[in-house]
Amino acid sequence: MEAIIRKIKPSTSTSLRRFSASPSRSSIMDLKGVYPPIPAPFNEDESLALDKLKSNVSRWISLPLSLRGIVVNGSNGEAPYLTVSERIQMVSTVRECIPRGSGKLIIAGSGCESTRDTIDLSNKMADAGADVLLVLPPSYFKSQMTHEVLIQHFTRVADNVSIPVLMYNVPATTGLDLSADILVQCSQHPNIIGYKESGGDIVKIATVVHRTINNGFTVLAGSSSFFLPSLAVGAQGCVAALANVIGDEVCKVQTLFDNGSHMEAQLLQHRLMGPNASVTSKYGVPGLKLMMDQFGFYGGPCRRPLMSVSESTAKLKNHLLNRGFYKIFHKMQISYVK
């Protein structure tokens, strides 16, 4: 790892900010908990509906079982369809709703295809109010993204941004699967504080946890569908699309696990499987937005080429109703309105 870092020549660009390592990163940034990767709300003309974003964030941060923070500009946020200025607006608007010192973190997606652009956007995200950067690997030139190239990319980004980096492994989107060796080597950098695993590889999660146990490196599951298995092998939290709709129930999985109520946690994990599939693999972002509309949040339209789901609303609602979630959230909605 040290040899690889030494090969990288510092850039003279004025947009770069050298990271200053501190003695203990783990004492500075605790990522443990649940984070909804929030959708970008659009008006019917596909412009950002920032008023709706503020309303949604206020709801999320007031849930009885507290979310640890919010992920902005991730896959569920339709980040590839947003301009740079829109991505910055998303972060700055969320920061208006979540004051510093509130105990809630803002994690902002800042990955770009080039290292240079990733650094530039990352520092803009920091200026807009992000606490942590979520950086996926460049993937357009897949065959050139070797072990060494990827390590150099993440290392150079971490060297030149002012806030911590959370690596993002999402092979379904990028077509790249970051290996445990890459993750472990990058974990040695003091400004790379963890990674989000969306591929569902529990063996890899366990391997990375085991090999980085003394590094203060945090692993977050990337879906509520494998949240409990991830906790069982040492993950510290979850970035879960389903937490946008029933955040309390997703948080409860971790609460039950931490309290030693493993059978209850297992039963709840099983109940989450169907609803989670509805907002991820089956209907995706359009399904998530439709479900949000049904449960008192603003989902709204997607930005084209994404289209609204053609399935009936009843089918989506039944995924939650049949598992008792709709009644739970309906009570919360009544309480919130009052």
mmCIF file of all heavy atoms in Angstrom, residues 14-59:
data_model
loop_
_atom_site.group_PDB
_atom_site.id
_atom_site.type_symbol
_atom_site.label_atom_id
_atom_site.label_comp_id
_atom_site.label_asym_id
_atom_site.label_seq_id
_atom_site.Cartn_x
_atom_site.Cartn_y
_atom_site.Cartn_z
ATOM 1 N N THR A 14 -5.605 23.894 -7.759
ATOM 2 C CA THR A 14 -6.054 24.663 -6.589
ATOM 3 C C THR A 14 -7.316 24.090 -5.985
ATOM 4 O O THR A 14 -7.699 24.467 -4.881
ATOM 5 C CB THR A 14 -6.315 26.126 -6.994
ATOM 6 O OG1 THR A 14 -7.273 26.143 -8.066
ATOM 7 C CG2 THR A 14 -5.032 26.807 -7.414
ATOM 8 N N SER A 15 -8.000 23.180 -6.709
ATOM 9 C CA SER A 15 -9.224 22.596 -6.168
ATOM 10 C C SER A 15 -8.937 21.455 -5.205
ATOM 11 O O SER A 15 -9.835 20.945 -4.562
ATOM 12 C CB SER A 15 -10.116 22.088 -7.312
ATOM 13 O OG SER A 15 -9.503 20.995 -7.967
ATOM 14 N N LEU A 16 -7.684 21.030 -5.110
ATOM 15 C CA LEU A 16 -7.333 19.938 -4.228
ATOM 16 C C LEU A 16 -7.071 20.439 -2.816
ATOM 17 O O LEU A 16 -6.545 21.516 -2.608
ATOM 18 C CB LEU A 16 -6.089 19.213 -4.753
ATOM 19 C CG LEU A 16 -6.167 18.661 -6.187
ATOM 20 C CD1 LEU A 16 -4.944 17.816 -6.459
ATOM 21 C CD2 LEU A 16 -7.430 17.858 -6.397
ATOM 22 N N ARG A 17 -7.447 19.624 -1.843
ATOM 23 C CA ARG A 17 -7.214 19.967 -0.448
ATOM 24 C C ARG A 17 -6.559 18.778 0.223
ATOM 25 O O ARG A 17 -7.161 17.724 0.334
ATOM 26 C CB ARG A 17 -8.537 20.304 0.251
ATOM 27 C CG ARG A 17 -9.315 21.384 -0.469
ATOM 28 C CD ARG A 17 -10.660 21.561 0.155
ATOM 29 N NE ARG A 17 -11.497 22.396 -0.702
ATOM 30 C CZ ARG A 17 -12.761 22.675 -0.451
ATOM 31 N NH1 ARG A 17 -13.328 22.193 0.628
ATOM 32 N NH2 ARG A 17 -13.456 23.436 -1.265
ATOM 33 N N ARG A 18 -5.359 18.928 0.644
ATOM 34 C CA ARG A 18 -4.644 17.803 1.239
ATOM 35 C C ARG A 18 -5.290 17.415 2.556
ATOM 36 O O ARG A 18 -5.554 18.246 3.424
ATOM 37 C CB ARG A 18 -3.182 18.173 1.483
ATOM 38 C CG ARG A 18 -2.436 18.580 0.239
ATOM 39 C CD ARG A 18 -2.399 17.487 -0.800
ATOM 40 N NE ARG A 18 -1.687 16.312 -0.328
ATOM 41 C CZ ARG A 18 -1.545 15.197 -1.027
ATOM 42 N NH1 ARG A 18 -2.093 15.096 -2.214
ATOM 43 N NH2 ARG A 18 -0.878 14.181 -0.544
ATOM 44 N N PHE A 19 -5.564 16.128 2.702
ATOM 45 C CA PHE A 19 -6.127 15.622 3.939
ATOM 46 C C PHE A 19 -5.049 15.535 5.000
ATOM 47 O O PHE A 19 -3.952 15.044 4.752
ATOM 48 C CB PHE A 19 -6.731 14.231 3.712
ATOM 49 C CG PHE A 19 -7.079 13.508 4.980
ATOM 50 C CD1 PHE A 19 -8.165 13.913 5.722
ATOM 51 C CD2 PHE A 19 -6.304 12.452 5.425
ATOM 52 C CE1 PHE A 19 -8.490 13.258 6.901
ATOM 53 C CE2 PHE A 19 -6.622 11.795 6.591
ATOM 54 C CZ PHE A 19 -7.717 12.195 7.331
ATOM 55 N N SER A 20 -5.357 16.021 6.188
ATOM 56 C CA SER A 20 -4.429 15.933 7.316
ATOM 57 C C SER A 20 -4.900 14.836 8.254
ATOM 58 O O SER A 20 -5.960 14.953 8.877
ATOM 59 C CB SER A 20 -4.368 17.268 8.077
ATOM 60 O OG SER A 20 -3.888 18.281 7.231
ATOM 61 N N ALA A 21 -4.131 13.762 8.330
ATOM 62 C CA ALA A 21 -4.527 12.621 9.160
ATOM 63 C C ALA A 21 -4.463 12.977 10.630
ATOM 64 O O ALA A 21 -3.600 13.700 11.080
ATOM 65 C CB ALA A 21 -3.608 11.432 8.880
ATOM 66 N N SER A 22 -5.412 12.469 11.378
ATOM 67 C CA SER A 22 -5.427 12.640 12.825
ATOM 68 C C SER A 22 -5.092 11.315 13.483
ATOM 69 O O SER A 22 -5.158 10.272 12.849
ATOM 70 C CB SER A 22 -6.799 13.137 13.281
ATOM 71 O OG SER A 22 -7.801 12.242 12.881
ATOM 72 N N PRO A 23 -4.758 11.297 14.764
ATOM 73 C CA PRO A 23 -4.311 10.071 15.407
ATOM 74 C C PRO A 23 -5.322 8.942 15.390
ATOM 75 O O PRO A 23 -4.964 7.792 15.286
ATOM 76 C CB PRO A 23 -4.026 10.529 16.844
ATOM 77 C CG PRO A 23 -3.779 11.989 16.737
ATOM 78 C CD PRO A 23 -4.657 12.469 15.630
ATOM 79 N N SER A 24 -6.618 9.247 15.475
ATOM 80 C CA SER A 24 -7.606 8.182 15.577
ATOM 81 C C SER A 24 -8.869 8.544 14.831
ATOM 82 O O SER A 24 -9.662 9.349 15.279
ATOM 83 C CB SER A 24 -7.933 7.907 17.051
ATOM 84 O OG SER A 24 -8.977 6.963 17.154
ATOM 85 N N ARG A 25 -9.061 7.940 13.663
ATOM 86 C CA ARG A 25 -10.254 8.267 12.897
ATOM 87 C C ARG A 25 -11.501 7.685 13.547
ATOM 88 O O ARG A 25 -12.577 8.260 13.452
ATOM 89 C CB ARG A 25 -10.123 7.767 11.467
ATOM 90 C CG ARG A 25 -10.026 6.250 11.359
ATOM 91 C CD ARG A 25 -9.988 5.804 9.916
ATOM 92 N NE ARG A 25 -9.633 4.403 9.845
ATOM 93 C CZ ARG A 25 -9.333 3.786 8.723
ATOM 94 N NH1 ARG A 25 -9.330 4.444 7.603
ATOM 95 N NH2 ARG A 25 -9.016 2.524 8.718
ATOM 96 N N SER A 26 -11.377 6.510 14.191
ATOM 97 C CA SER A 26 -12.548 5.855 14.762
ATOM 98 C C SER A 26 -13.176 6.669 15.879
ATOM 99 O O SER A 26 -14.372 6.576 16.137
ATOM 100 C CB SER A 26 -12.189 4.449 15.271
ATOM 101 O OG SER A 26 -11.197 4.523 16.263
ATOM 102 N N SER A 27 -12.370 7.479 16.551
ATOM 103 C CA SER A 27 -12.908 8.299 17.633
ATOM 104 C C SER A 27 -13.595 9.548 17.094
ATOM 105 O O SER A 27 -14.311 10.237 17.815
ATOM 106 C CB SER A 27 -11.789 8.708 18.594
ATOM 107 O OG SER A 27 -10.853 9.541 17.924
ATOM 108 N N ILE A 28 -13.378 9.851 15.801
ATOM 109 C CA ILE A 28 -13.942 11.057 15.202
ATOM 110 C C ILE A 28 -15.255 10.764 14.482
ATOM 111 O O ILE A 28 -16.207 11.521 14.587
ATOM 112 C CB ILE A 28 -12.934 11.677 14.224
ATOM 113 C CG1 ILE A 28 -11.691 12.145 14.986
ATOM 114 C CG2 ILE A 28 -13.551 12.838 13.452
ATOM 115 C CD1 ILE A 28 -10.577 12.630 14.098
ATOM 116 N N MET A 29 -15.335 9.669 13.756
ATOM 117 C CA MET A 29 -16.492 9.398 12.918
ATOM 118 C C MET A 29 -17.063 8.014 13.205
ATOM 119 O O MET A 29 -16.468 7.005 12.846
ATOM 120 C CB MET A 29 -16.101 9.501 11.446
ATOM 121 C CG MET A 29 -17.262 9.428 10.484
ATOM 122 S SD MET A 29 -18.380 10.830 10.598
ATOM 123 C CE MET A 29 -17.346 12.168 9.996
ATOM 124 N N ASP A 30 -18.205 7.983 13.873
ATOM 125 C CA ASP A 30 -18.904 6.740 14.160
ATOM 126 C C ASP A 30 -20.074 6.632 13.185
ATOM 127 O O ASP A 30 -21.020 7.419 13.245
ATOM 128 C CB ASP A 30 -19.407 6.754 15.603
ATOM 129 C CG ASP A 30 -20.204 5.513 15.949
ATOM 130 O OD1 ASP A 30 -20.217 4.553 15.153
ATOM 131 O OD2 ASP A 30 -20.849 5.503 17.025
ATOM 132 N N LEU A 31 -20.021 5.656 12.296
ATOM 133 C CA LEU A 31 -21.042 5.516 11.251
ATOM 134 C C LEU A 31 -22.167 4.564 11.642
ATOM 135 O O LEU A 31 -23.105 4.375 10.860
ATOM 136 C CB LEU A 31 -20.394 4.999 9.959
ATOM 137 C CG LEU A 31 -19.349 5.893 9.286
ATOM 138 C CD1 LEU A 31 -18.774 5.177 8.066
ATOM 139 C CD2 LEU A 31 -19.940 7.226 8.882
ATOM 140 N N LYS A 32 -22.122 3.985 12.802
ATOM 141 C CA LYS A 32 -23.077 2.943 13.174
ATOM 142 C C LYS A 32 -24.518 3.432 13.079
ATOM 143 O O LYS A 32 -24.865 4.478 13.616
ATOM 144 C CB LYS A 32 -22.799 2.459 14.597
ATOM 145 C CG LYS A 32 -23.719 1.322 15.040
ATOM 146 C CD LYS A 32 -23.353 0.812 16.418
ATOM 147 C CE LYS A 32 -24.264 -0.326 16.836
ATOM 148 N NZ LYS A 32 -23.913 -0.865 18.172
ATOM 149 N N GLY A 33 -25.357 2.651 12.390
ATOM 150 C CA GLY A 33 -26.769 2.980 12.308
ATOM 151 C C GLY A 33 -27.354 2.795 10.925
ATOM 152 O O GLY A 33 -26.732 2.223 10.030
ATOM 153 N N VAL A 34 -28.558 3.305 10.746
ATOM 154 C CA VAL A 34 -29.326 3.123 9.516
ATOM 155 C C VAL A 34 -29.467 4.455 8.786
ATOM 156 O O VAL A 34 -29.732 5.490 9.409
ATOM 157 C CB VAL A 34 -30.724 2.544 9.817
ATOM 158 C CG1 VAL A 34 -31.593 2.509 8.563
ATOM 159 C CG2 VAL A 34 -30.600 1.145 10.417
ATOM 160 N N TYR A 35 -29.316 4.400 7.459
ATOM 161 C CA TYR A 35 -29.392 5.579 6.610
ATOM 162 C C TYR A 35 -30.323 5.314 5.427
ATOM 163 O O TYR A 35 -30.093 4.364 4.671
ATOM 164 C CB TYR A 35 -28.020 5.936 6.029
ATOM 165 C CG TYR A 35 -26.918 6.126 7.035
ATOM 166 C CD1 TYR A 35 -26.286 5.026 7.634
ATOM 167 C CD2 TYR A 35 -26.471 7.402 7.380
ATOM 168 C CE1 TYR A 35 -25.255 5.193 8.550
ATOM 169 C CE2 TYR A 35 -25.443 7.587 8.292
ATOM 170 C CZ TYR A 35 -24.840 6.478 8.871
ATOM 171 O OH TYR A 35 -23.812 6.645 9.774
ATOM 172 N N PRO A 36 -31.338 6.128 5.204
ATOM 173 C CA PRO A 36 -32.098 6.010 3.958
ATOM 174 C C PRO A 36 -31.355 6.715 2.828
ATOM 175 O O PRO A 36 -30.909 7.860 3.000
ATOM 176 C CB PRO A 36 -33.413 6.729 4.278
ATOM 177 C CG PRO A 36 -33.044 7.741 5.318
ATOM 178 C CD PRO A 36 -31.910 7.139 6.119
ATOM 179 N N PRO A 37 -31.200 6.066 1.684
ATOM 180 C CA PRO A 37 -30.637 6.735 0.510
ATOM 181 C C PRO A 37 -31.781 7.472 -0.193
ATOM 182 O O PRO A 37 -32.547 6.876 -0.939
ATOM 183 C CB PRO A 37 -30.092 5.582 -0.334
ATOM 184 C CG PRO A 37 -30.984 4.428 0.016
ATOM 185 C CD PRO A 37 -31.462 4.637 1.431
ATOM 186 N N ILE A 38 -31.902 8.753 0.055
ATOM 187 C CA ILE A 38 -33.135 9.458 -0.292
ATOM 188 C C ILE A 38 -33.272 9.716 -1.787
ATOM 189 O O ILE A 38 -32.302 10.025 -2.470
ATOM 190 C CB ILE A 38 -33.255 10.772 0.493
ATOM 191 C CG1 ILE A 38 -32.157 11.765 0.099
ATOM 192 C CG2 ILE A 38 -33.211 10.497 1.994
ATOM 193 C CD1 ILE A 38 -32.333 13.139 0.705
ATOM 194 N N PRO A 39 -34.497 9.613 -2.308
ATOM 195 C CA PRO A 39 -34.741 9.950 -3.710
ATOM 196 C C PRO A 39 -34.685 11.463 -3.915
ATOM 197 O O PRO A 39 -34.961 12.241 -3.000
ATOM 198 C CB PRO A 39 -36.162 9.431 -3.963
ATOM 199 C CG PRO A 39 -36.441 8.484 -2.850
ATOM 200 C CD PRO A 39 -35.678 9.011 -1.677
ATOM 201 N N ALA A 40 -34.353 11.869 -5.120
ATOM 202 C CA ALA A 40 -34.433 13.279 -5.485
ATOM 203 C C ALA A 40 -35.876 13.576 -5.860
ATOM 204 O O ALA A 40 -36.421 12.945 -6.770
ATOM 205 C CB ALA A 40 -33.499 13.577 -6.654
ATOM 206 N N PRO A 41 -36.532 14.520 -5.173
ATOM 207 C CA PRO A 41 -37.930 14.821 -5.507
ATOM 208 C C PRO A 41 -38.016 15.793 -6.691
ATOM 209 O O PRO A 41 -37.323 16.811 -6.730
ATOM 210 C CB PRO A 41 -38.447 15.486 -4.220
ATOM 211 C CG PRO A 41 -37.240 16.130 -3.618
ATOM 212 C CD PRO A 41 -36.058 15.279 -4.003
ATOM 213 N N PHE A 42 -38.862 15.449 -7.644
ATOM 214 C CA PHE A 42 -39.031 16.298 -8.820
ATOM 215 C C PHE A 42 -40.466 16.806 -8.918
ATOM 216 O O PHE A 42 -41.414 16.125 -8.497
ATOM 217 C CB PHE A 42 -38.704 15.521 -10.101
ATOM 218 C CG PHE A 42 -37.286 15.041 -10.185
ATOM 219 C CD1 PHE A 42 -36.995 13.682 -10.232
ATOM 220 C CD2 PHE A 42 -36.227 15.944 -10.217
ATOM 221 C CE1 PHE A 42 -35.687 13.232 -10.316
ATOM 222 C CE2 PHE A 42 -34.910 15.503 -10.298
ATOM 223 C CZ PHE A 42 -34.638 14.143 -10.342
ATOM 224 N N ASN A 43 -40.607 18.001 -9.492
ATOM 225 C CA ASN A 43 -41.920 18.490 -9.889
ATOM 226 C C ASN A 43 -42.322 17.792 -11.181
ATOM 227 O O ASN A 43 -41.533 17.035 -11.761
ATOM 228 C CB ASN A 43 -41.862 20.009 -10.100
ATOM 229 C CG ASN A 43 -41.534 20.757 -8.810
ATOM 230 O OD1 ASN A 43 -42.228 20.603 -7.808
ATOM 231 N ND2 ASN A 43 -40.472 21.563 -8.849
ATOM 232 N N GLU A 44 -43.534 18.054 -11.643
ATOM 233 C CA GLU A 44 -44.005 17.403 -12.865
ATOM 234 C C GLU A 44 -43.157 17.783 -14.079
ATOM 235 O O GLU A 44 -43.073 17.027 -15.039
ATOM 236 C CB GLU A 44 -45.475 17.755 -13.123
ATOM 237 C CG GLU A 44 -46.444 17.106 -12.130
ATOM 238 C CD GLU A 44 -46.349 15.592 -12.116
ATOM 239 O OE1 GLU A 44 -46.169 14.987 -13.203
ATOM 240 O OE2 GLU A 44 -46.438 14.996 -11.026
ATOM 241 N N ASP A 45 -42.513 18.957 -14.037
ATOM 242 C CA ASP A 45 -41.647 19.348 -15.157
ATOM 243 C C ASP A 45 -40.222 18.840 -14.989
ATOM 244 O O ASP A 45 -39.320 19.227 -15.729
ATOM 245 C CB ASP A 45 -41.648 20.869 -15.328
ATOM 246 C CG ASP A 45 -41.056 21.597 -14.116
ATOM 247 O OD1 ASP A 45 -40.672 20.926 -13.131
ATOM 248 O OD2 ASP A 45 -40.985 22.843 -14.157
ATOM 249 N N GLU A 46 -40.009 17.967 -13.997
ATOM 250 C CA GLU A 46 -38.734 17.316 -13.698
ATOM 251 C C GLU A 46 -37.702 18.256 -13.059
ATOM 252 O O GLU A 46 -36.536 17.885 -12.904
ATOM 253 C CB GLU A 46 -38.138 16.635 -14.946
ATOM 254 C CG GLU A 46 -39.012 15.516 -15.488
ATOM 255 C CD GLU A 46 -38.354 14.719 -16.599
ATOM 256 O OE1 GLU A 46 -37.118 14.843 -16.792
ATOM 257 O OE2 GLU A 46 -39.060 13.951 -17.283
ATOM 258 N N SER A 47 -38.102 19.449 -12.673
ATOM 259 C CA SER A 47 -37.209 20.313 -11.894
ATOM 260 C C SER A 47 -37.200 19.835 -10.450
ATOM 261 O O SER A 47 -38.128 19.157 -9.995
ATOM 262 C CB SER A 47 -37.687 21.767 -11.959
ATOM 263 O OG SER A 47 -38.995 21.892 -11.410
ATOM 264 N N LEU A 48 -36.130 20.153 -9.715
ATOM 265 C CA LEU A 48 -36.047 19.733 -8.320
ATOM 266 C C LEU A 48 -37.133 20.404 -7.483
ATOM 267 O O LEU A 48 -37.331 21.624 -7.566
ATOM 268 C CB LEU A 48 -34.677 20.090 -7.737
ATOM 269 C CG LEU A 48 -33.507 19.165 -8.051
ATOM 270 C CD1 LEU A 48 -32.233 19.702 -7.403
ATOM 271 C CD2 LEU A 48 -33.767 17.736 -7.576
ATOM 272 N N ALA A 49 -37.797 19.614 -6.668
ATOM 273 C CA ALA A 49 -38.826 20.121 -5.754
ATOM 274 C C ALA A 49 -38.194 20.242 -4.364
ATOM 275 O O ALA A 49 -38.375 19.373 -3.503
ATOM 276 C CB ALA A 49 -40.037 19.198 -5.733
ATOM 277 N N LEU A 50 -37.432 21.291 -4.150
ATOM 278 C CA LEU A 50 -36.671 21.434 -2.912
ATOM 279 C C LEU A 50 -37.571 21.613 -1.690
ATOM 280 O O LEU A 50 -37.198 21.227 -0.576
ATOM 281 C CB LEU A 50 -35.693 22.600 -3.028
ATOM 282 C CG LEU A 50 -34.602 22.428 -4.095
ATOM 283 C CD1 LEU A 50 -33.708 23.661 -4.155
ATOM 284 C CD2 LEU A 50 -33.765 21.174 -3.827
ATOM 285 N N ASP A 51 -38.756 22.182 -1.882
ATOM 286 C CA ASP A 51 -39.700 22.306 -0.765
ATOM 287 C C ASP A 51 -40.155 20.924 -0.305
ATOM 288 O O ASP A 51 -40.306 20.669 0.905
ATOM 289 C CB ASP A 51 -40.893 23.167 -1.155
ATOM 290 C CG ASP A 51 -41.641 22.639 -2.387
ATOM 291 O OD1 ASP A 51 -40.999 22.023 -3.270
ATOM 292 O OD2 ASP A 51 -42.870 22.846 -2.473
ATOM 293 N N LYS A 52 -40.347 20.028 -1.259
ATOM 294 C CA LYS A 52 -40.746 18.659 -0.915
ATOM 295 C C LYS A 52 -39.588 17.916 -0.242
ATOM 296 O O LYS A 52 -39.798 17.097 0.663
ATOM 297 C CB LYS A 52 -41.180 17.905 -2.173
ATOM 298 C CG LYS A 52 -42.324 18.559 -2.933
ATOM 299 C CD LYS A 52 -43.580 18.664 -2.100
ATOM 300 C CE LYS A 52 -44.744 19.189 -2.946
ATOM 301 N NZ LYS A 52 -45.975 19.376 -2.141
ATOM 302 N N LEU A 53 -38.376 18.204 -0.677
ATOM 303 C CA LEU A 53 -37.211 17.595 -0.047
ATOM 304 C C LEU A 53 -37.144 17.984 1.428
ATOM 305 O O LEU A 53 -36.918 17.135 2.296
ATOM 306 C CB LEU A 53 -35.940 18.042 -0.773
ATOM 307 C CG LEU A 53 -34.608 17.588 -0.167
ATOM 308 C CD1 LEU A 53 -34.522 16.066 -0.128
ATOM 309 C CD2 LEU A 53 -33.433 18.171 -0.962
ATOM 310 N N LYS A 54 -37.346 19.264 1.724
ATOM 311 C CA LYS A 54 -37.309 19.721 3.112
ATOM 312 C C LYS A 54 -38.383 19.031 3.953
ATOM 313 O O LYS A 54 -38.138 18.642 5.094
ATOM 314 C CB LYS A 54 -37.490 21.236 3.167
ATOM 315 C CG LYS A 54 -36.326 22.027 2.611
ATOM 316 C CD LYS A 54 -36.608 23.529 2.664
ATOM 317 C CE LYS A 54 -35.454 24.336 2.102
ATOM 318 N NZ LYS A 54 -35.729 25.797 2.121
ATOM 319 N N SER A 55 -39.561 18.890 3.379
ATOM 320 C CA SER A 55 -40.655 18.230 4.085
ATOM 321 C C SER A 55 -40.317 16.775 4.384
ATOM 322 O O SER A 55 -40.539 16.275 5.500
ATOM 323 C CB SER A 55 -41.939 18.313 3.247
ATOM 324 O OG SER A 55 -42.995 17.603 3.852
ATOM 325 N N ASN A 56 -39.765 16.068 3.394
ATOM 326 C CA ASN A 56 -39.383 14.671 3.598
ATOM 327 C C ASN A 56 -38.317 14.529 4.670
ATOM 328 O O ASN A 56 -38.406 13.666 5.546
ATOM 329 C CB ASN A 56 -38.870 14.064 2.291
ATOM 330 C CG ASN A 56 -39.981 13.702 1.318
ATOM 331 O OD1 ASN A 56 -41.154 13.638 1.683
ATOM 332 N ND2 ASN A 56 -39.612 13.465 0.066
ATOM 333 N N VAL A 57 -37.279 15.365 4.592
ATOM 334 C CA VAL A 57 -36.184 15.270 5.556
ATOM 335 C C VAL A 57 -36.695 15.506 6.969
ATOM 336 O O VAL A 57 -36.308 14.811 7.924
ATOM 337 C CB VAL A 57 -35.053 16.267 5.208
ATOM 338 C CG1 VAL A 57 -33.993 16.275 6.311
ATOM 339 C CG2 VAL A 57 -34.416 15.891 3.877
ATOM 340 N N SER A 58 -37.587 16.463 7.136
ATOM 341 C CA SER A 58 -38.159 16.732 8.463
ATOM 342 C C SER A 58 -38.864 15.505 9.006
ATOM 343 O O SER A 58 -38.797 15.214 10.209
ATOM 344 C CB SER A 58 -39.134 17.912 8.383
ATOM 345 O OG SER A 58 -38.460 19.094 8.034
ATOM 346 N N ARG A 59 -39.532 14.775 8.140
ATOM 347 C CA ARG A 59 -40.212 13.553 8.558
ATOM 348 C C ARG A 59 -39.203 12.474 8.941
ATOM 349 O O ARG A 59 -39.351 11.804 9.967
ATOM 350 C CB ARG A 59 -41.109 13.030 7.427
ATOM 351 C CG ARG A 59 -42.298 13.900 7.080
ATOM 352 C CD ARG A 59 -43.419 13.772 8.110
ATOM 353 N NE ARG A 59 -43.818 12.395 8.324
ATOM 354 C CZ ARG A 59 -44.643 11.716 7.530
ATOM 355 N NH1 ARG A 59 -45.136 12.284 6.446
ATOM 356 N NH2 ARG A 59 -44.969 10.482 7.803
#
